[in-house]
Amino acid sequence: MRVEYINPFVEAAFNVLREVLQSDVRRGELYLKSTSTPVMGVAAIVGLAGDVEGRVLFDMDRPTALQIASTMNGEELATLDDLVKATITELANMITAQAVTKLHDLGFRFDLTPPAIFTGDNMEVSNSDVEALIVPMETVHGKIEINVAIRERA
Amino acid sequence: MAAQTAEQQANADTAEAAKRAGKVDFKMVTFSLAGKEYGIDIMSVKEIAKAGRFTYVPNAATYVRGVYNLRGEIISVIDLRIFFHLPAERKAEEALESLIILRIDEHVFGVIVDAIDKVVGISSSNIQPPHPIFGDINVKYIKGIVENGGKLYIILDVEKIFAPEREEDIEAKAKSASLLQKEGELIERDRRTGDRGADVALDFVRETLAAFRGFHGSELTDAWFRSRFAEWKASRKAQDLQLKEASEADEFLGSFWSPETGRLWDDDYAAAFEAALPPIEARSINVWNPGCGKGYETWSVACIMRKRYPEARIRIWANDSDLLAISMAPNMVFGENVPPYYGDFLGRGRNGLAFIQSIRDSIFFEFHDILNANTLPPLDLILCRDVLSFIPPIDQKRLIGDFSDKLKPNGVIFTGANERLGEGWAHVGTEAVPAFRKV
C-alpha cells in the first residue's frame, strides 16, 4: 500500500473516533497482514474505487459496537438492532469519507461505495492474496481494528 | 470504566493467544534422550517399533548399532544417543530398544531413543528458532524449540541429520573447497590435516549471524561469506572466532553492504550503474525495488534511469516493511551537499532541495512486506540489494522464483555487491554492479 495513503486513514480514524466518543483514543502499532482475518463480531465494510481498488473494514466485538452506538446516540442501547447497525455503518462512512477527503487534497482520486455491515459469530474475511494494513484503535469502549487493503489499479 | 476496559483487553489478549496456540498445523513424535524431550516432524516418521538383537555391522561408525530386518526390508539402525554423544545405557542382550522408523526421501532408517512419548500437535507459529548457544546438540540439527503442556521440546531436523549427500552437493563442496584453497592458506592447512574445526566454526558464525542480525548465509552469499570468514579468521585468535554479541555480528557484516547504502549514490557509483543498465527499447519501463529502506537507492536509480532512458515512461514500485523508514521516503529533502550527478533533478523547495515532480511521479513508495503476495505488472528491472540475504533461505527461493515470474524475458535483476544468483541466471553486470538475466 502506498505510503501516502496510510496517514489519512490513521488521522481520520483518530479524529472521528475522538470526536464522536468525546474521549481519549489510543492508536496501536500499525502492521501488515495477508492471512485471513477473524472478524470479532461486528464488521462494517466500505469499498474504494477510482485510482485504486480496495476496501476498508472496521472490525469490533459486540459490546464495543453497542457501547459506541450508545455513546453516539446519547441513549443506552442494549441489543444489536437496526439503530446500532446504522450507527456503526455511519461511523465507518465518516472515517472513510474523511480519509478520502484528505487523499483528494493530496491529489489522489478515490470513490466510496456505500458501506455494508456484517454481524455474526465466528466470521472470517479471507482474501489472502491481498495485503492489508491493520490500524488498531483503542477506545474506552474497546478495540476497533481498521483493516485497509488498497492497491493501485493496474 | 478504565479498569473494566483493561480487563476486557486482557481477556481479548488471552483469547487471541489461545486461538493462535490452538491452530494445530504441525505434529511431532516426541521422545526423550538423556532426560531431555525431543520431537521429530511426524511427516518423516514411518512408524515406531520395539526391537532388539540388531545384526552387528563391522567397520561401521560407532553410532550405527547394526541393521534390522523390518518385515523383509533391511534398514540400518542408528543410536541417536551415541550420534549426539549423549550417555546411552547398555541394555541386556535380549532387551528391546525403542525404535523410531524414519523415512527420508526414499531411505528408511531406524533410530534408537531412550523412550518414545506420544504425538503432540502444535501450531508451527509457536516454534521458536534454535538459539546458537544450545548445549548438547549441534544447533544445525535443530529445527526449533517449542513449548507444549509445560514441557520444552527440541525439534530435530532429521532431514539435515540423515539426508544422504547428493551428488551435486558433493560436487559443490569439492568446488568450494578448491575455491577456498586459493583464498587462504589457513583453511588449506585445516583441510589437509583433516581438521573439521574450521567448518564447525564457520557454521557457527553463520548461525550466529542469523540469530543476531537475521543474515541468512545461503548459496546467494556463499562466496562472500567464505572469503570473509577466512579474513575474519586471519585477524582473530582461534578461541575468539565466534560472534558473541550483536556488535561483533555488525563488524563481521561490515564489508557485506553494497556500496553507497543509506545515502544518495555518489557520482562514480551512479555512473557505474548507468553503464550497467541494459538497453531497453520499450516506451514504458517498470522497475521493482523491494526492500528500499529509506528510499535513497530508489531516488538514485530514478534519476540515473531518467538520464539513461530519457524518452521512456519510468515507473518504480519501491517497498519496505519498515514503516518508519518508508514513511520518510516520499518527502525526502536534502541540504547542500548533494552529489553533482543529481543537480538537474533537484529543485529548491520550502525546506531545502527536493526532487522535481517528474522524478517524484515515477516512484510509488509502498508499505509492503514482500513475503506477502506481490502484485506488480511485468517488470523490466528489479533492484534488490542486500535484501534477499536477510530473508530465511526457504523464502529466498520462493522470492527468486517470484522475481523470475515477474521479469519480462529480457529483464534484469540488480543484486547486492556480494550477492550472486545461482542456477538459471546469467551474470550480465560488472564487478561493481552485479546484474543477472534469466537463461
Side-chain angles (χ1 to χ4, degrees), chain B residues 143-339:
Chain B
K143 199 180 260 172
I145 317 289
V146 73
E147 196 258 331
N148 184 282
K151 279 186 190 168
L152 266 189
Y153 293 98
I154 299 170
I155 304 174
L156 295 179
D157 193 339
V158 283
E159 285 176 20
K160 278 225 187 93
I161 303 176
F162 297 114
E165 294 202 353
R166 293 188 189 83
E167 253 168 64
E168 60 255 35
D169 286 352
I170 295 169
E171 226 167 76
K173 258 184 206 160
K175 215 182 280 167
S176 59
S178 67
L179 203 87
L180 277 172
Q181 274 173 356
K182 271 179 243 145
E183 274 164 2
E185 226 190 303
L186 264 172
I187 289 180
E188 193 187 336
R189 202 186 317 136
D190 286 339
R191 296 243 159 202
R192 220 184 293 139
T193 52
D195 176 13
R196 306 259 308 150
D199 268 9
V200 174
L202 186 123
D203 285 345
F204 211 86
V205 168
R206 201 196 307 266
E207 276 143 18
T208 8
L209 284 176
F212 281 135
R213 281 294 174 252
F215 176 87
H216 296 272
S218 70
E219 296 144 20
L220 194 71
T221 48
D222 204 49
W224 172 81
F225 183 73
R226 285 179 186 275
S227 77
R228 175 73 181 117
F229 182 74
E231 211 179 283
W232 182 259
K233 197 168 170 181
S235 70
R236 295 255 165 169
K237 286 192 221 84
Q239 64 273 33
D240 210 20
L241 269 181
Q242 288 159 15
L243 311 174
K244 284 177 282 307
E245 44 199 294
S247 61
E248 284 185 321
D250 288 339
E251 193 187 334
F252 191 95
L253 288 177
S255 72
F256 173 74
W257 304 105
S258 301
E260 304 294 306
T261 293
R263 55 170 176 257
L264 277 184
W265 296 355
D266 69 10
D267 285 21
D268 291 344
Y269 191 68
F273 191 86
E274 189 181 333
L277 282 170
I280 298 177
E281 300 298 331
R283 294 167 53 108
S284 162
I285 301 177
N286 296 332
V287 185
W288 183 20
N289 181 203
C292 67
K294 294 198 174 94
Y296 286 104
E297 64 181 34
T298 321
W299 289 113
S300 307
V301 166
C303 297
I304 295 166
M305 290 187 64
R306 171 65 57 218
K307 238 179 209 172
R308 178 74 169 76
Y309 313 110
E311 302 299 321
R313 173 179 181 233
I314 298 162
R315 288 187 297 175
I316 306 177
W317 283 265
N319 14 94
D320 206 284
S321 58
D322 179 348
L323 181 58
L324 213 60
I326 191 85
S327 323
M328 316 292 267
N331 300 312
M332 200 175 271
V333 283
F334 300 91
E336 295 304 319
N337 49 350
V338 180

Side-chain angles (χ1 to χ4, degrees), chain A residues 1-4 6 30-34 38 63 67 128-129 131 133 138-143 151-152, chain B residues 1 4-5 8-9 13 16 19 317 321 323 326-327 330 363-370 372-373 375:
Chain A
M1 186 165 111
R2 279 190 73 165
V3 176
E4 289 89 340
I6 298 175
L30 307 186
Y31 61 98
L32 293 168
K33 199 164 172 178
S34 88
Q67 289 189 53
S128 55
D129 60 329
E131 184 183 57
L133 170 78
E138 304 278 351
T139 73
V140 287
H141 304 306
K143 186 169 73 172
R151 66 174 173 219
E152 302 307 296
Chain B
M1 188 61 109
Q4 192 191 345
T5 320
Q8 270 173 7
Q9 176 59 30
D13 281 353
E16 223 163 75
K19 214 178 281 167
W317 283 265
S321 58
L323 181 58
I326 191 85
S327 323
I363 306 178
F364 305 113
F365 283 108
E366 296 177 319
F367 176 42
H368 167 60
D369 186 341
I370 50 172
N372 293 338
T375 41

Side-chain angles (χ1 to χ4, degrees), chain A residues 15 18 44 55 122:
Chain A
N15 291 342
R18 202 172 48 174
R55 50 122 178 108
N122 280 329

